[in-house]
Amino acid sequence: MAKSGSFDVTENHVHINSKDVPFWLSSRLGLAVIGFLGFINVYAVRVNLSVAIVCMVNHTAIQKQSDNMTNIVASECEASSNNTSVDSNELGGYLEWDKTIQGTILGSFFWGYLVGQVPAGWIATRFGGKWVFAITMLIASVATVLTPVLADVHYASLIAIRVILGIVTGMTFPAMHTIWGKWAPPLERTKLITFTYAGAQVGIVITFPLSGVLCKYGFAGGWPSVFYVTGVVCFIWTIFWILLVSDDPANHKRISHIEKEYIMSSLKTSRVSDKKHISVPWLSIFMSLPVWAIIVANVASDWGAYTLLTNIPTYINEVLRFDITSNGFVSALPYIAFWAVINIGGWLADSLRNKEYLSTGVTRKVFTAFGKIVPALMLIGLGYVDCSQSGLAIGLLVFAVSLTGTQYSGFLVNHVDIAPAFAGILFGISNSLASVTGFISPVVVGVITESGQTRAEWQIVFYIAAAIYIFGATFFVIFASGDLQPWAEVGELESKSREVELTADVNGEEQEMLSDNNELV
């Protein structure tokens, strides 16, 4: 055995001490930062319509078509001193879309979201995730800017552009998972990936209140400015992504030698040397119970998430009776807490694994179960709160949404645990199946609440979401795994070759490795 600086060389194996590889000024952290900003934009163009539709629609005209709804809501809230709802005419709403049309428009995004993910995972695995992410975001920015024009033409044209938006933004997650399969060292995996995807929650936090303000005070008539602003910002981010990001450490121009070798050696058993000739083990994937555990957990999570994400502004406006400006800020509160929980959970999960308090598999199960069962109980409680208890309702809503963030350290990272080389494909499969809930749940909520938006109706909505959460947690705890699956071990030959190469180079290049500067992406 030979030992040299930060490297232990034993029989053609090189082990780099992770403590000698900087983290805070590293390229992998830089990738997490720009990915984080990217998912802010992904969700900004995705959820802007959830708030904007409140001020696009002429609620007064619709209520005249359903006097029963107005009477029920008024009778439930007449005792509330906090009733701050406003006439929608003040917001310039003129589109006469009933609840069924609104639910169909909001759900149409997920028709496209379902389609693009598995192809995106396959394409990103073969050709790299960088350009998949870039091209899809360019299309998303154009689609967002065109939204006001198409909404004025007919709601069917708006549905069409939302389907396109769903296709392209759905492709971003498998692309990013593919990139992280090549960039994230196993013991840093949770915090890097959860930080990146936490950008989604920040996107919601920013977009909900910004959309509310722009609806009321923005240019171009108010609500159109919501789409113009988010579309242009998305385009600007995409340019920076193209200029700064690489698909893997080996092709990165500014990464230090020691960081590159650390990442590549830590992933040696799951790297693919010739990504254009990958043989995807489709049968093994679909026969794997750990894969199905992820799928079921993802479906359950998305049902609850989409039920709330697409309907929180409507619930707050029509049940809790907040005006549109307050609505945007209140709608963002759960996602501020969500962002904090995601990041705290990521660091805690990696700490528990590093200190060997919990195995990877147990960590994923504990964090997933907590992130489903506790929010389920909060949703049940929320169903028994009316508009006279708005403070309690908002508190329960914040907990119900935010505590689901621990799942980011559970099933959401689990694809990379069990099959790093095929993480994008696995994510595409699980998330595309889960996305079916995105166009079913808004329609279900619309049908249940169409007659009056009453507390009793929302109780049904919350009970359904809670039951699905609990089932998903149970299935995942029973069948999930944290171990690399045998069918995913695809890089053994490359691994041996790489270890010999590293052994030969380590003495001659040690000083260069230790003196290289680590730079952000």
Side-chain angles (χ1 to χ4, degrees), residues 387-405:
C387 56
S388 66
Q389 302 168 297
S390 58
L392 177 60
I394 295 302
L396 287 171
L397 193 59
V398 168
F399 281 111
V401 173
S402 65
L403 294 180
T404 62

Side-chain angles (χ1 to χ4, degrees), residues 373-388:
I373 295 172
V374 176
L377 299 176
M378 298 293 175
L379 286 177
I380 292 172
L382 182 61
Y384 290 90
V385 178
D386 61 26
C387 56
S388 66

Side-chain angles (χ1 to χ4, degrees), residues 1-4 7-16 268 496 499-500 502-504 506:
M1 179 184 79
K3 185 174 182 180
S4 182
F7 303 86
D8 294 330
V9 184
T10 308
E11 297 179 357
N12 293 337
H13 290 268
V14 176
H15 303 285
I16 301 174
K268 60 183 178 294
K496 292 178 181 178
E499 285 163 359
V500 172
L502 285 171
T503 303
V506 69

Side-chain angles (χ1 to χ4, degrees), residues 4-7 256-258 505-517:
S4 182
S6 301
F7 303 86
S256 69
H257 203 126
I258 189 173
D505 289 348
V506 69
N507 289 326
E509 298 195 12
E510 178 194 1
Q511 293 302 319
E512 178 186 353
M513 292 179 182
L514 296 178
S515 63
D516 281 342
N517 292 322

Side-chain angles (χ1 to χ4, degrees), residues 39 95 105 111 119 147 160 165 175 194 214 251 271 273 339 389 395 515:
F39 281 97
L95 299 169
I105 291 171
W111 304 347
T147 296
L165 192 65
T194 55
L214 290 174
N251 294 310
R271 288 201 321 275
S273 58
W339 173 82
Q389 302 168 297
S515 63

Side-chain angles (χ1 to χ4, degrees), residues 257-316:
H257 203 126
I258 189 173
E259 183 185 5
K260 178 170 68 175
E261 301 300 353
Y262 165 62
I263 295 170
M264 295 177 70
S265 63
S266 71
L267 298 173
K268 60 183 178 294
T269 61
S270 58
R271 288 201 321 275
V272 179
S273 58
D274 191 354
K275 59 190 177 185
K276 292 187 178 181
H277 295 87
I278 295 172
S279 178
V280 180
W282 293 107
L283 181 60
S284 296
I285 288 173
F286 283 106
M287 293 293 290
S288 171
L289 277 175
V291 170
W292 280 103
I294 294 172
I295 292 171
V296 171
N298 205 344
V299 170
S301 176
D302 281 11
W303 180 279
Y306 294 146
T307 295
L308 294 172
L309 182 62
T310 57
N311 291 285
I312 278 179
T314 300
Y315 174 77
I316 290 173

